[in-house]
């Protein structure tokens, strides 16, 4: 299949695939076994009441049909293992295979969460060492690894804030959130029972200190701040922001999703942050999504420690700094906000993140951060003459352009993103952050080589030329996929979630 403007298309992309139910035909089996050489048993008699009267409505297919179905589907997803994934704010970095190797070591992979503590010391040491590494990296005093994602970490962190205020007699009423924030921040505040008050950004995309001073009062529980912000800018006034909040008895929560720009360079605990979350699946190279587990540890200052979710890992018969006594889970913590996740949390992710931290070491982690920032700034330099750059402040790990120049010719950020698919790249983040109209948010991460960055730059520059010469090609992209433009409104409003056989 020839694609307009592009010569090549991957052969597998021409293989369309129906639903597994549509391929079913009665009596087909996915296996062949030799005839029974033992007496057969009547399962319904054995199961009694538990035996279902009618067979479940499951598709019936041969083994090769099943294998092909799922193998084909697996090739439809774009993945970090296929090419650059410049989705801003999400830090889609490479997941090193050594992490996978370590996570599959029998003693770790098979460890049962109900194994008695005295027989689980190995895995508890892994948990403890990761906790200590993350405390060191963030400059905080205490941590919980329970939360299963960034948003879950935010929820846990704001529960700590609430519990601390309540312990002082007043939970307070509102949480301040900058207009550039990720949508999970206001959702978290609301679900924890707080009113959300919007904080307007200044001309550099940062916090307006005067506006902040006016808005913080005795009813403010906390400010939720992303640093570096969602436009990739480091909040250089962060110390003063913390002081303004603390003077009114309010706390500073940091959304640590962008820690890939800070690890080994600056520590939130040193610049006034009281509580924060990390996304192990962003900064620490554990896989994202695909239904797989994430991990959103919450680190806090000592005064919030009594409120951490139970259980908390402690060393028996020694103070915490001594790496000698046995580790055990402590449940008797009367001020705790309670458990937020079953068992240890997503322990497989802890192992991967720890493998990544130890493989890099302190200098390696710092280098990673520097490379991530360098890569983002390389893209900025190579594209700033063709795309509008609304905030000129120094970029950290990501760069946000706008579609202003292309929109004047009728082509929007979403069109350019869809055209990137034809060039073999995952789209960047579209229309976020909200403070940039027509945002194009690009985060290459340190994983990408100079060669891959140059391919991406060339693709973006080529699309910018197309916008001027053949805008209809961009506006109708993608052309290389099985389906092109979907009716996104109908897909959201009238989803078909059930197969009607
Ligand atoms: C990704 C992200 C979150 C949410 O994290 P999840 O792990 O996806 O729940 C919150 N804030 C920011 C800035 C993010 O980029």
């Amino acid at each position: 299949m020839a694609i307009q403007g592009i010569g090549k298309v991957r052969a597998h992309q021409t293989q369309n695939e129906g639903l597994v139910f549509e391929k079913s035909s009665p009596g087909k089996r996915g296996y062949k076994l030799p005839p029974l050489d033992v007496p057969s048993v009547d399962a319904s008699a054995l199961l009694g009441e538990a035996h279902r009267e009618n067979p479940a409505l499951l598709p019936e297919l041969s083994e090769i049909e099943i294998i092909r179905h799922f193998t084909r589907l697996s090739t439809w997803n774009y993945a970090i293992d296929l090419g650059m994934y410049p989705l801003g704010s999400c830090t889609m970095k490479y997941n090193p295979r050594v992490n996978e190797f370590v996570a599959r070591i029998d003693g770790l992979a098979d460890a049962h969460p109900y194994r008695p503590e005295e027989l689980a010391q190995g895995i508890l040491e892994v948990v403890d060492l990761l906790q200590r590494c993350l405390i060191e990296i963030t400059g905080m005093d205490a941590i919980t690894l329970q939360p299963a994602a960034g948003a879950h970490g935010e929820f846990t962190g704001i529960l700590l804030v609430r519990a601390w205020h309540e312990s002082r007699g007043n939970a307070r009423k509102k949480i301040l959130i900058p207009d550039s924030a990720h949508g999970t921040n206001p959702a978290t505040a609301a679900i924890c029972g707080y009113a959300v008050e919007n904080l307007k950004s200044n001309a550099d995309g940062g916090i307006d200190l005067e506006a902040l001073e006016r808005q913080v009062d005795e009813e403010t529980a906390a400010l939720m701040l992303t640093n570096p912000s969602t436009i990739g800018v480091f909040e250089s006034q962060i110390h003063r922001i913390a002081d303004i909040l603390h003077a009114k008895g309010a706390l500073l929560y940091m959304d640590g999703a962008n820690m890939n720009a800070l690890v080994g360079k600056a520590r939130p605990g040193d610049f006034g942050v009281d509580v924060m979350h990390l996304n192990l699946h962003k900064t620490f190279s554990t896989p994202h999504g695909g239904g797989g587990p994430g991990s959103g540890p919450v680190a806090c200052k000592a005064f919030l420690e009594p409120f951490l979710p139970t259980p908390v890992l402690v060393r028996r018969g020694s103070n915490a700094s001594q790496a000698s006594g046995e580790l055990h889970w402590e449940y008797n913590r009367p001020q705790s906000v309670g458990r937020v996740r079953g068992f240890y949390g997503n322990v497989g992710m802890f192992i991967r993140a720890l493998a990544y931290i130890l493989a890099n070491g302190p200098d390696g982690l710092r280098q990673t951060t520097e490379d991530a920032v360098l890569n983002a700034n390389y893209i900025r330099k190579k594209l700033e003459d063709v795309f509008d750059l609304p905030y000129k402040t120094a970029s950290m790990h990501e760069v946000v352009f706008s579609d202003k120049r292309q929109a004047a010719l009728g082509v929007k950020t979403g069109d350019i993103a869809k055209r990137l698919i034809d060039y073999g790249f995952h789209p960047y983040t579209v229309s976020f952050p909200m403070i940039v109209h027509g945002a194009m948010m690009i985060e290459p991460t340190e994983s990408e080589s100079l060669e891959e960055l140059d391919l991406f730059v060339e693709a973006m520059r080529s699309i910018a030329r197309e916008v001027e010469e053949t805008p209809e090609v961009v506006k109708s992209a993608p052309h290389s996929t099985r389906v092109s433009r979907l009716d996104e409104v109908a897909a959201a409003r009238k989803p078909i979630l059930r197969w009607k056989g």
Side-chain angles (χ1 to χ4, degrees):
M1 181 166 57
I3 308 263
Q4 212 170 355
I6 297 180
K8 283 177 283 181
V9 60
R10 293 191 185 104
H12 69 249
Q13 295 193 331
T14 59
Q15 295 171 357
N16 265 320
E17 191 66 16
L19 298 177
V20 71
F21 290 97
E22 292 165 359
K23 295 168 172 261
S24 170
S25 58
K28 280 201 181 181
R29 286 287 170 270
Y31 57 86
K32 253 186 220 153
L33 295 175
L36 270 188
D37 60 358
V38 291
S40 67
V41 172
D42 181 3
S44 56
L46 278 179
L47 290 169
E49 290 277 295
H51 188 252
R52 67 164 82 233
E53 281 179 12
N54 301 308
L57 271 181
L58 295 175
E60 296 174 79
L61 288 93
S62 70
E63 183 167 340
I64 193 170
E65 285 171 322
I66 281 286
I67 295 284
R68 282 190 181 151
H69 177 70
F70 287 107
T71 305
R72 282 178 189 158
L73 290 184
S74 77
T75 65
W76 288 14
N77 265 355
Y78 194 87
I80 189 71
D81 291 345
L82 284 173
M84 184 170 162
Y85 210 124
L87 201 63
S89 200
C90 288
T91 312
M92 302 293 293
K93 66 168 72 177
Y94 175 63
N95 316 128
R97 289 306 182 267
V98 66
N99 297 359
E100 298 304 318
F101 174 80
V102 177
R104 283 167 174 71
I105 292 174
D106 289 348
L108 297 174
D110 298 340
H112 195 284
Y114 279 142
R115 187 182 281 184
E117 277 169 8
E118 64 270 24
L119 300 178
Q121 287 299 303
I123 197 105
L124 293 180
E125 288 291 348
V126 168
V127 174
D128 180 64
L129 182 56
L130 177 63
Q131 292 193 161
R132 285 187 284 132
C133 288
L134 296 178
I135 284 174
E136 175 65 27
I137 287 168
T138 55
M140 307 297 278
D141 301 322
I143 196 163
T144 174
L145 304 185
Q146 273 186 34
H152 195 195
E154 290 173 37
F155 171 69
T156 307
I158 296 301
L159 284 186
L160 299 186
V161 168
R162 190 175 185 102
W164 179 74
H165 281 300
E166 269 169 4
S167 75
R168 293 154 49 95
N170 177 7
R172 302 197 166 193
K173 292 212 164 60
K174 65 179 182 183
I175 291 207
L176 300 178
I177 298 181
D179 48 11
S180 61
H182 195 271
T184 50
N185 291 185
T188 293
I191 215 165
C192 291
Y194 285 111
V196 175
E197 197 168 295
N198 193 15
L199 202 59
K200 266 201 170 339
S201 301
N202 64 19
D204 296 332
I207 296 283
D208 184 331
L209 290 188
E210 282 168 22
L212 180 68
E213 284 212 88
R214 278 196 305 277
Q215 275 177 265
V216 186
D217 58 25
E218 265 71 34
E219 287 304 345
T220 310
L223 164 68
M224 292 181 84
L225 186 68
T226 307
N227 193 29
S229 71
T230 37
I231 53 168
V233 171
F234 186 82
E235 191 63 70
S236 57
Q237 303 288 333
I238 186 93
H239 255 116
R240 293 193 50 207
I241 291 171
D243 290 344
I244 292 169
L245 291 161
H246 293 155
K248 291 274 167 64
L251 301 184
L252 177 56
Y253 182 95
M254 191 179 112
D255 179 328
N258 293 341
M259 276 298 285
N260 212 40
L262 297 188
V263 173
K265 304 294 282 186
R267 307 196 313 164
D270 297 338
F271 52 65
V273 170
D274 298 302
V275 49
M276 65 177 292
H277 78 262
L278 295 160
N279 305 61
L280 299 189
H281 45 290
K282 292 180 181 172
T283 316
F284 297 96
S285 85
T286 74
H288 281 241
S295 183
V298 171
C300 64
K301 288 284 171 63
F303 70 95
L304 290 173
E305 205 212 339
F307 307 98
L308 282 177
T310 47
V312 170
L313 194 59
V314 294
R315 233 175 246 289
R316 221 184 278 275
S318 64
N319 56 39
S321 60
Q322 272 176 279
S324 56
E326 279 207 343
L327 289 162
H328 81 112
W329 293 114
E330 188 176 272
Y331 287 85
N332 183 16
R333 299 179 61 90
Q335 288 189 290
S336 166
V337 298
R339 193 185 254 296
V340 297
R341 178 88 181 143
F343 304 113
Y344 294 23
N346 287 334
V347 89
M349 297 304 123
F350 308 165
I351 297 165
R352 288 170 176 83
L354 183 60
Y356 172 81
I357 290 170
L358 296 179
N360 280 289
D363 294 338
L365 288 177
R366 186 178 311 111
Q367 184 71 49
T368 297
T369 302
E370 289 172 0
D371 291 348
V373 173
L374 180 65
N375 281 358
N377 281 279
Y378 183 77
I379 286 178
R380 170 176 163 155
K381 266 278 160 267
K382 291 280 182 177
L383 293 179
E384 65 187 0
D385 61 323
V386 285
F387 296 101
D388 173 60
L389 187 68
Y391 291 98
K392 309 281 187 278
T393 339
S395 293
M396 297 285 286
H397 62 299
E398 58 198 357
V399 54
V400 182
F401 294 105
S402 93
D403 65 8
K404 195 168 167 193
R405 289 164 64 174
Q406 290 70 33
L409 301 168
V411 180
K412 303 260 174 64
T413 175
D415 302 320
I416 299 168
K418 287 193 193 298
R419 183 60 171 155
L420 259 183
I421 298 170
D422 289 336
Y423 283 82
F425 292 97
H426 191 279
Y428 49 75
T429 294
V430 172
S431 305
F432 176 79
M434 313 279 254
I435 54 170
V436 173
H437 188 76
M440 309 163 59
M441 182 195 227
I442 300 167
E443 179 180 5
T445 82
E446 73 282 2
S447 304
E448 301 309 329
S449 64
L450 183 59
E451 291 73 22
E452 190 75 15
L453 293 180
D454 282 337
L455 281 175
F456 178 76
V457 165
E458 192 36 52
M460 290 294 286
R461 296 190 71 89
S462 172
I463 296 171
R465 273 195 304 279
E466 289 177 335
V467 170
E468 285 166 14
E469 292 160 10
T470 50
E472 48 318 320
V473 173
V474 183
K475 284 164 77 170
S476 52
H479 304 280
S480 61
T481 47
R482 285 174 190 75
V483 287
S484 185
R485 294 273 168 141
L486 296 172
D487 183 344
E488 290 170 6
V489 176
R493 298 271 163 81
K494 295 179 193 155
I496 301 167
L497 301 176
R498 212 173 261 282
W499 173 70
K500 298 188 209 82

